[in-house]
Amino acid sequence: MLHIIGIGLHSHKDMTLRGLECIRESEVVYLETYTSIQDGAADDLERFIGKRVVLASRELVEGSDEIVENARDKTVSFLVVGSPLFATTHVDILSRARARGVEVNVIHNASIMSVMGCCGLYSYSFGRTVSIPYHSGERISSWYNNIVRNIQNGLHTLCLLDIVADEDRFMTVNEAIEQILEAAKDSVVDGGTKIFAICRFGTPTEEIAFGTVAEFRTRSFGRPLHSLIIPAEIDRSEGYFVEALFGSK
Ligand SMILES: C[S@@+](CC[C@H](N)C(=O)[O-])C[C@H]1O[C@@H](n2cnc3c(N)ncnc32)[C@H](O)[C@@H]1O
């Protein structure tokens, strides 16, 4: 049996009771460590559930069959920060497990994708979510082109920022802005464009700020994780809520 469990955004306290029950009945518990992070998650989890937590790198999850093979004759929990199937490639382990006849149970949770409803913008008015990678040549244009396409279609863009977990590198709002300005060459995004900075969403130190690219380029936003929203044209009723929440639109 393989339980694929989202543990939410902040800490073990965000786990659902259903998730906790599954973990309690599991003989092996893995925590995926490369698509998102929670400060001190593994230690806190081990203390809370009273079991050893195995840290699962990309290589272990995607490059080996250890987890699926274990789940053939044991009850296994595979824990993912946020919601397990949002902005991850974990549908892969789900389908590999099903293909081998392993029963799979998915427990969803809050995700960074939930931020779409939290800034005064309509979640229905978002286009493709993009991931901004640390410099990597060709790939730059595809994420930037999707931002342009969203704006041209009147759709807002949630930008997730790169994580290089094994080097403890988490892209900041400032670094993302540099990448965007370099790709944009002052076309649809420039220093005057207003954006949302999303920092540590869903945690007690959450900060969501609304301001210009020029302003946010040098402002410090504190510890990771960070994301951005680049709004397209904000309509009248969205503008009302944005102004109510952030004092300007
Ligand atoms: C690949 S996504 C993983 C999504 C995760 N499965 C979820 O459902 O939230 C990771 C990226 O989302 C963004 N992110 C995740 N959690 C965040 C948070 N609490 N605050 C701000 N950004 C976050 C960051 O840009 C991070 O690099």
Side-chain angles (χ1 to χ4, degrees):
M1 173 78 187
L2 177 61
H3 298 295
I4 300 180
I5 302 172
I7 59 169
L9 293 168
H10 174 53
S11 76
H12 61 282
K13 291 185 183 169
D14 291 346
M15 208 177 326
T16 65
L17 290 177
R18 234 158 25 98
L20 184 58
E21 275 173 13
C22 297
I23 294 171
R24 289 222 160 114
E25 69 173 42
S26 292
E27 296 154 88
V28 189
V29 179
Y30 293 94
L31 171 66
E32 183 264 274
T33 54
Y34 58 93
T35 65
S36 202
I37 52 149
Q38 274 181 2
D39 278 342
D43 293 344
D44 290 350
L45 270 168
E46 283 190 340
R47 263 194 299 274
F48 182 62
I49 63 179
K51 284 185 186 172
R52 182 169 166 248
V53 171
V54 181
L55 300 184
S57 64
R58 188 185 295 276
E59 203 185 349
L60 186 119
V61 178
E62 296 174 17
S64 94
D65 282 328
E66 178 182 314
I67 298 175
V68 172
E69 281 303 312
N70 260 334
R72 280 162 83 102
D73 50 14
K74 292 193 184 96
T75 303
V76 171
S77 280
F78 174 61
L79 312 185
V80 181
V81 173
S83 205
L85 304 179
F86 263 138
T88 67
T89 47
H90 298 323
V91 70
D92 169 63
I93 193 167
L94 187 158
S95 61
R96 272 191 287 135
R98 291 237 167 103
R100 287 177 194 203
V102 173
E103 195 183 341
V104 182
N105 170 40
V106 180
I107 310 259
H108 306 283
N109 207 313
S111 167
I112 183 56
M113 308 301 275
S114 318
V115 77
M116 290 186 193
C118 299
C119 301
L121 305 176
Y122 291 129
S123 48
Y124 301 101
S125 302
F126 278 74
R128 267 179 95 146
T129 297
V130 303
S131 287
I132 303 184
Y134 282 110
H135 276 298
S136 55
E138 275 296 289
R139 280 164 63 210
I140 287 182
S141 54
S142 68
W143 60 261
Y144 184 68
N145 290 341
N146 284 325
I147 295 175
V148 173
R149 232 169 269 139
N150 282 345
I151 292 175
Q152 286 167 343
N153 290 322
L155 299 171
H156 313 309
T157 310
L158 171 61
C159 306
L160 304 180
L161 312 186
D162 206 0
I163 291 181
V164 188
D166 47 6
E167 293 172 21
D168 249 2
R169 281 175 83 202
F170 308 98
M171 187 183 284
T172 61
V173 164
N174 318 103
E175 289 172 317
I177 286 176
E178 291 309 323
Q179 305 259 61
I180 291 168
L181 288 175
E182 193 181 324
K185 304 203 174 19
D186 284 345
S187 60
V188 299
V189 180
D190 61 24
T193 307
K194 284 189 123 180
I195 59 173
F196 296 86
I198 317 292
C199 307
R200 303 169 298 282
F201 178 65
T203 78
T205 62
E206 170 182 298
E207 182 182 1
I208 303 182
F210 183 53
T212 64
V213 163
E215 217 178 307
F216 286 178
R217 195 172 185 179
T218 52
R219 176 168 154 189
S220 172
F221 286 97
R223 291 186 51 72
L225 294 169
H226 296 178
S227 298
L228 287 177
I229 292 173
I230 303 180
E233 198 170 329
I234 295 178
D235 81 12
R236 246 177 78 186
S237 41
E238 287 178 318
Y240 169 81
F241 291 120
V242 170
E243 187 159 19
L245 294 175
F246 300 95
S248 73
K249 59 181 176 182

